[in-house]
Amino acid sequence: MRDFIPPDVRHRLRDLTLATRRAVGARGLGAHRSASRGAGLEFAQYRPYERGDEPRQIDWKLYGRSDRFFVREAERESPVTLWVLLDASASMADADMDGAVRFDAARGLAAALAELALMQGDRFALAALAGTGLAVVPPGGGARHRDRWRLSLAALSATGGLPDERALAGLWERIGARDLVVLISDFFDPAMADLATRLSAAGREVLAIAVLTVAERDFPFDAGYRFRDTETGEELVGDGAALRAGFLERFGAARQALHDRLEAAGIRHATLVLDEPLDTPLRRLFGGRG
């Protein structure tokens, strides 16, 4: 089974805490503010039934009215569920001149987030967004669920565009009001930023991680090149040295616009460039305990 997390990064993950803005403790369920939810205590929320939920949690009266299964959660029964929304469009398959692939780094980040959730006893879910639709691993916990993540990540490929609005609509029923959502993308398609800001506006806590190649950051081209857009197929032939200044200016302006939009929506965000350690954005977002 492929492991997308380098050994040194896996070691450093032990210093991170997957904390939300509701964080009050240092680890595990205590890392998330929750008013002592539990059976017989104050009702918190309904959420759609998911495979693995106990039948006794189903609200049968609500089922009788709606013909759908919902779970009635009390405060203690609702640890944070982490949702990782992974961009699997064609631009994520871009590679640097040294062979490093953006999508491999993105899958490594997704795997690392699952490890953090596993260490803390939280539930975690995955949704890969591609032109063919959504590939979803529903919320769950434990080592076996983590292994299902690994198999799903290994089977993914980056191709096509992003799902249309009809395909994305299913996410809104799955992501709970108290869930933590992390989007991993290059954010070249405005639809990813749209999804992030809509989720934030709906009251979800949303984080964003942008994954960039070294070429996008530095544009280290000196001779004539044929530049090709992996999603549209459009090509541009030009001299790298002559194009560098204009590209860096426009690319910098686009990144600043994305930064300003996410900041305005209250979305914490970080960037990983492919020549940086995989856990760089995770440390920026979640910090260390020491």
Side-chain angles (χ1 to χ4, degrees):
M1 184 185 303
R2 182 174 178 180
D3 188 354
F4 291 95
I5 308 174
D8 60 323
V9 173
R10 182 176 295 279
H11 178 75
R12 291 195 297 270
L13 289 179
R14 293 181 294 181
D15 295 328
L16 301 181
T17 300
L18 190 65
T20 71
R21 284 175 174 158
R22 300 183 293 274
V24 293
R27 192 170 178 84
L29 302 186
H32 315 289
R33 186 182 302 277
S34 178
S36 187
R37 296 166 139 176
L41 298 180
E42 183 178 357
F43 168 72
Q45 65 178 9
Y46 287 110
R47 63 170 173 79
Y49 175 83
E50 298 160 355
R51 184 179 300 176
D53 287 333
E54 296 184 20
R56 64 181 178 82
Q57 294 178 286
I58 297 173
D59 190 308
W60 295 103
K61 291 183 179 179
L62 183 58
Y63 169 75
R65 297 195 301 270
S66 64
D67 199 33
R68 297 180 62 188
F69 292 114
F70 288 92
V71 170
R72 181 182 177 93
E73 288 188 334
E75 289 289 347
R76 192 186 302 141
E77 293 173 338
S78 182
V80 163
T81 295
L82 167 71
W83 275 90
V84 175
L85 308 189
L86 178 62
D87 183 347
S89 62
S91 64
M92 294 295 289
D94 288 348
D96 263 326
M97 298 174 71
D98 65 356
V101 179
R102 192 199 322 268
F103 196 54
D104 286 345
R107 288 187 287 181
L109 285 169
L113 287 164
E115 288 292 335
L116 288 175
L118 175 65
M119 288 189 291
Q120 297 180 184
D122 289 329
R123 291 155 55 86
F124 43 103
L126 173 70
L129 285 62
T132 53
L134 296 176
V136 178
V137 179
R144 292 182 64 183
H145 186 66
R146 183 270 316 278
D147 292 344
R148 285 194 289 272
W149 263 59
R150 290 183 182 177
L151 290 172
S152 297
L153 287 173
L156 291 174
S157 59
T159 183
L162 289 170
D164 57 24
E165 284 294 317
R166 182 179 302 176
L168 289 175
L171 281 177
W172 295 91
E173 295 184 1
R174 292 173 174 259
I175 299 176
R178 298 179 63 87
D179 293 351
L180 175 64
V181 184
V182 181
L183 287 85
I184 304 174
S185 174
D186 53 24
F187 289 96
F188 293 162
D189 190 326
M192 285 300 290
D194 292 345
L195 178 59
T197 54
R198 287 174 59 196
L199 285 166
S200 181
R204 280 31 173 200
E205 183 170 352
V206 180
L207 286 73
I209 300 177
V211 184
L212 303 180
T213 66
V214 174
E216 290 157 355
R217 182 192 63 193
D218 300 340
F219 203 77
F221 305 107
D222 294 319
Y225 283 89
R226 183 185 301 272
F227 302 96
R228 182 175 183 273
D229 187 314
T230 52
E231 293 191 3
T232 66
E234 295 180 5
E235 293 185 346
L236 170 66
V237 178
D239 178 70
L243 294 171
R244 180 179 297 113
F247 171 85
L248 293 177
E249 180 180 359
R250 291 190 298 274
F251 191 75
R255 304 312 295 178
Q256 185 62 47
L258 174 65
H259 168 86
D260 293 344
R261 182 178 184 187
L262 297 177
E263 286 286 310
I267 297 172
R268 291 186 289 155
H269 54 96
T271 299
L272 173 70
V273 183
L274 295 186
D275 63 350
E276 298 175 331
L278 184 67
D279 55 328
T280 298
L282 301 181
R283 303 194 73 83
R284 291 172 181 165
L285 291 171
F286 302 114
R289 294 195 296 272

